Amino acid sequence: MKILDWTKQYFADKGIENPHFDAAILLCAVLKCDRITLYVDFARPLSDEELSAFRKLVVRRVQHEPVAYILGEKGFMKHSFKVTPDVLVPRPETELLAESIIKDAEGAVRILDIGTGSGAIIISLLAALPDASGVGTDISENALAVAEENAACIGVSERLKFLCSNIYTNLSADEKFDIIVSNPPYIPSGDMKNLASDVRMEPVQALDGGDDGLDFYCAIIKGAKNYLIKGGLLAFEIGVDQAGAVTAMCEEEGFKTVVRRDYAGLDRMVFAAEEGGRYGNMLPEIAK
Ligand code: SAM
Ligand code: GLN
């Protein structure tokens, strides 16, 4: 298709990372078809309306607006999540974090997701674990509104509560969880200006982890024992080169730790639990 080739080239010239894929996805959105149909069946020229709608999306993309914001949705695990510029676009590496937990959790587990954003992690966990229930917290009311919508669409609202909270501040002191999971903001403040233009369109509040990027791990780990049952699990996504510092903080608080890599071979997750408890015994399995 000429329009596809033209757009691919235009995106490439403008420094868009996946020019062909993005051009195809945006064209599919306008034509309301899937990618196979686009390649196999789509021979007719675009109507004026379709062309004008497509042009608008192309203009947004060359301004480096993430495709997920343009489409208003992003696939994560088994579901499509609504996303807006108030939430981080859920990442494929975060799916690994959710998968690790699903693999080893069973029964009526209670899960706390700190910095829930679109709700991608906690909603996917509850969707996969039918007896689990949980709480998703975020400091952003706007993010929580998106997460609530996603929970309702995916059908887990009855087992999931959302709470606007600065880490633990608004959780009641007697709440206890089997698992605390978090993909907190972890980019060192000084690196924020070097982020790719697409990432810079995402909320600063979702990315900036303070001077060394470790502020949130420090606060979450220090308070974790107040909210975890004995033998409960702490599960984190981490940034590049943070495994050493995050495991050290966990060990200082009396947790055993394991690190799991992502598909690119980078240390990407830290799991921590007290020795001897259910998850303490399972740590080596979780990291596989
Ligand atoms: N969990 C989502 C995911 O993995 O796609 C979003 C993760 S995003 C990296 C971090 C989230 O933490 C953002 O939604 C941000 O609003 C939230 N956040 C930032 N500061 C916070 C705080 N002090 N307390 C709770 N959440 C916070
Ligand atoms: N993975 C995100 C990025 O580097 C950062 C997410 C976070 O701070 N938790 O684009």
Side-chain angles (χ1 to χ4, degrees):
M1 253 180 128
K2 265 205 187 121
I3 183 107
L4 198 55
D5 291 338
W6 182 88
T7 309
K8 183 176 87 176
Q9 192 54 51
Y10 183 53
F11 280 173
D13 294 346
K14 293 284 181 185
I16 301 295
E17 204 179 326
N18 299 305
H20 184 87
F21 181 79
D22 289 4
I25 285 282
L26 294 179
L27 193 51
C28 286
V30 169
L31 300 177
K32 299 187 176 48
C33 71
D34 58 29
R35 282 174 66 212
I36 306 282
T37 315
L38 184 70
Y39 296 127
V40 177
D41 277 348
F42 222 88
R44 73 164 168 84
L46 269 58
S47 69
D48 287 350
E49 290 79 45
E50 286 166 343
L51 205 51
S52 137
F54 183 58
R55 275 208 191 101
K56 285 186 187 140
L57 304 192
V58 169
V59 168
R60 288 172 68 180
R61 187 65 192 115
V62 295
Q63 288 163 351
H64 289 275
E65 187 171 345
V67 171
Y69 288 163
I70 298 175
L71 301 180
E73 63 178 8
K74 174 75 183 177
F76 183 86
M77 305 286 287
K78 294 194 172 147
H79 299 278
S80 172
F81 285 78
K82 172 178 171 169
V83 293
T84 71
D86 288 313
V87 301
L88 187 92
V89 176
R91 306 285 206 266
E93 53 269 31
T94 309
E95 293 180 321
L96 271 179
L97 177 69
E99 277 167 20
S100 305
I101 296 172
I102 290 167
K103 186 164 61 73
D104 292 296
E106 52 186 35
V109 283
R110 299 251 320 135
I111 307 169
L112 170 64
D113 176 18
I114 299 177
T116 197
S118 63
I121 298 175
I122 186 80
I123 293 170
S124 299
L125 294 179
L126 296 197
L129 302 165
D131 297 318
S133 59
V135 176
T137 68
D138 207 287
I139 196 135
S140 158
E141 295 270 13
N142 291 345
L144 289 170
V146 174
E148 298 253 15
E149 267 190 62
N150 283 322
C153 278
I154 295 165
V156 298
S157 296
E158 281 180 12
R159 292 181 282 131
L160 180 54
K161 201 173 79 182
F162 288 107
L163 189 67
C164 191
S165 176
N166 180 356
I167 313 200
Y168 298 112
T169 47
N170 292 342
L171 275 171
S172 83
D174 52 8
E175 288 250 36
K176 295 280 181 239
F177 298 91
D178 300 85
I179 299 169
I180 297 177
V181 59
S182 185
N183 171 19
Y186 57 60
I187 310 284
S189 305
D191 293 350
M192 291 290 292
K193 58 182 186 312
N194 305 327
L195 292 174
S197 333
D198 291 30
V199 182
R200 269 189 276 151
M201 296 254 177
E202 296 183 272
V204 171
Q205 213 172 28
L207 297 165
D208 190 336
D211 279 353
D212 53 6
L214 299 168
D215 285 5
F216 288 87
Y217 301 105
C218 182
I220 294 170
I221 293 164
K222 282 215 161 81
K225 283 197 177 154
N226 299 329
Y227 295 96
L228 270 184
I229 60 153
K230 199 128 186 70
L233 177 72
L234 252 181
F236 289 118
E237 179 172 318
I238 56 164
V240 181
D241 295 334
Q242 292 177 333
V246 175
T247 53
M249 284 187 248
C250 291
E251 281 157 22
E252 218 165 279
E253 292 298 315
F255 294 103
K256 271 182 30 170
T257 59
V258 286
V259 177
R260 189 175 172 194
R261 294 191 172 157
D262 62 18
Y263 292 125
L266 301 170
D267 288 342
R268 179 61 67 190
M269 290 150 274
V270 168
F271 299 94
E274 280 183 272
E275 185 132 35
R278 176 171 197 272
Y279 290 105
N281 290 331
M282 285 168 78
L283 281 181
E285 282 305 307
I286 293 172
K288 273 185 197 156

